[in-house]
Amino acid sequence: MFSGMFFIFTPLVLGYFIAINRTDVLERINQITANLVLVILSLMGLSLAALDDLANNLATIVHYAATFFFFLGAANLAILPLIDRWLPLHSEQTQQSVPLSQMALESLKLIFVVGGGLAVGLLLPLDLSWVETASEWILLLLLFFIGIQLRNSGLTLRQIIINKHGLIIAFVMITTSMLGGLLAGWYLDMPWQQALAMSSGFGWYSLAGILMGDAFGPIFGGVSFSVELLRELVALVMIPLFIRRFPCTAIGYAGATAMDFTLPVIQTTGGVRCVPVAIVSGFILSLLVPVLMLFFVSLAM
């Protein structure tokens, strides 16, 4: 059961043991990682093109994605406001503008990458038998670089432990996402192991889509990608609206993206007090995305 998990988890662990002090090297690794994500997402599009009865499969993706998005979001938002009530975090009111449309376009461009792969696969008479193998090997390389990124994120164990807001937000996000995932799996008549794996993306749409696509096929890769991308897009709108009254809720709903993509929005609209909380909660969730997904995938196999 765990041999497959060990094989795919090894590059992540190996990467995590590599400490890099040079900024230029880290920037290069970040660029390589971003490029690998684009390559694998384009391969996901090619995989979708190879499916029989594409129209029905796309309808399935929409149905499953909407179901998971609803149950996960409802579970998260049912409990996160309690943190704001019982352990309030005081945000700062700012008047700075946030380039939300530009940030949303950065997220949406990945949809065009998947769509481009789909279009190429549909329009050109290509032999797509190599796509699955290529995706698996590129995924291993991607996990290696992600391990390096997580190791060199700048957070120490002490910084994580002493930030109780960040720890509690991450814990609530994990537990409520698992609950929401089980409800979605029950509604869709999906094995609980697979439902929990699908619920462990926490907003990291690129990695979630890639891991689920590798484990369960392009349909579920597309579902996971869509669910987590929707979370990020909703978070971009939700954070400026709610962070003043419900900062923990806004930070928590952003999930893993709170430490990177949505962090500028959190800082600009919530103030500097929200930044350490967002970084800690986002880091914990980012670290656990591959761990939990691969664990539940191993149980489902």
Side-chain angles (χ1 to χ4, degrees):
M1 177 186 296
F2 293 98
S3 59
M5 176 185 174
F6 177 79
F7 176 72
I8 201 171
F9 199 61
T10 298
L12 183 73
V13 175
L14 291 177
Y16 193 79
F17 281 110
I18 298 177
I20 298 176
N21 297 320
R22 291 180 53 183
T23 304
D24 59 326
V25 175
L26 288 174
E27 290 177 353
R28 181 61 177 165
I29 289 174
N30 292 338
Q31 186 60 51
I32 292 173
T33 303
N35 291 337
L36 288 175
V37 167
L38 295 178
V39 171
I40 297 183
L41 289 179
S42 64
L43 292 177
M44 182 190 297
L46 287 174
S47 298
L48 288 172
L51 293 174
D52 296 327
D53 198 6
L54 180 60
N56 283 335
N57 283 320
L58 290 178
T60 300
I61 290 175
V62 172
H63 174 58
Y64 275 52
T67 301
F68 269 96
F69 179 73
F70 171 77
F71 279 105
L72 291 176
N76 296 154
L77 295 176
I79 304 300
L80 283 171
L82 297 179
I83 306 177
D84 287 302
R85 180 177 179 180
W86 294 334
L87 193 66
L89 173 66
H90 300 289
S91 60
E92 302 169 7
Q93 294 191 6
T94 64
Q95 301 298 324
Q96 301 180 52
S97 60
V98 183
L100 294 181
S101 58
Q102 181 179 350
M103 297 180 71
L105 286 175
E106 285 295 312
S107 299
L108 290 174
K109 75 177 183 180
L110 298 184
I111 296 179
F112 292 103
V113 173
V114 178
L118 175 62
V120 169
L122 291 175
L123 297 176
L124 299 180
L126 299 175
D127 176 17
L128 301 178
S129 59
W130 55 272
V131 171
E132 182 177 354
T133 301
S135 298
E136 290 177 353
W137 284 106
I138 297 174
L139 172 60
L140 294 177
L141 184 60
L142 175 65
L143 288 172
F144 174 72
F145 285 119
I146 287 175
I148 296 176
Q149 287 180 318
L150 292 173
R151 169 61 185 272
N152 296 277
S153 62
L155 276 183
T156 64
L157 181 61
R158 181 178 181 275
Q159 288 174 312
I160 295 174
I161 292 175
I162 65 175
N163 195 305
K164 59 182 179 180
H165 279 98
L167 283 171
I168 293 173
I169 289 173
F171 175 77
V172 169
M173 278 296 296
I174 294 167
T175 53
T176 57
S177 293
M178 297 299 104
L179 176 60
L182 288 173
L183 291 173
W186 167 78
Y187 180 80
L188 296 170
D189 196 23
M190 178 186 294
W192 65 269
Q193 302 95 326
Q194 185 175 355
L196 290 178
M198 297 284 293
S199 307
S200 303
F202 307 130
W204 195 346
Y205 53 84
S206 55
L207 182 61
I210 291 166
L211 289 177
M212 292 300 94
D214 181 69
F216 303 120
I219 292 177
F220 290 101
V223 171
S224 189
F225 174 81
S226 302
V227 170
E228 306 307 338
L229 180 61
L230 281 172
R231 175 184 291 276
E232 182 173 284
L233 294 175
V234 171
L236 286 176
V237 177
M238 178 180 171
I239 291 169
L241 294 176
F242 291 97
I243 198 166
R244 294 179 184 177
R245 292 189 59 191
F246 303 99
C248 294
T249 301
I251 293 170
Y253 188 81
T257 70
M259 74 170 292
D260 44 50
F261 189 80
T262 57
L263 183 61
V265 185
I266 293 170
Q267 179 177 1
T268 302
T269 58
V272 294
R273 290 184 180 180
C274 294
V275 172
V277 177
I279 292 176
V280 169
S281 65
F283 174 80
I284 294 172
L285 293 173
S286 297
L287 184 65
L288 290 179
V289 168
V291 175
L292 292 176
M293 278 197 161
L294 293 175
F295 174 70
F296 290 125
V297 164
S298 70
L299 295 180
M301 295 303 183

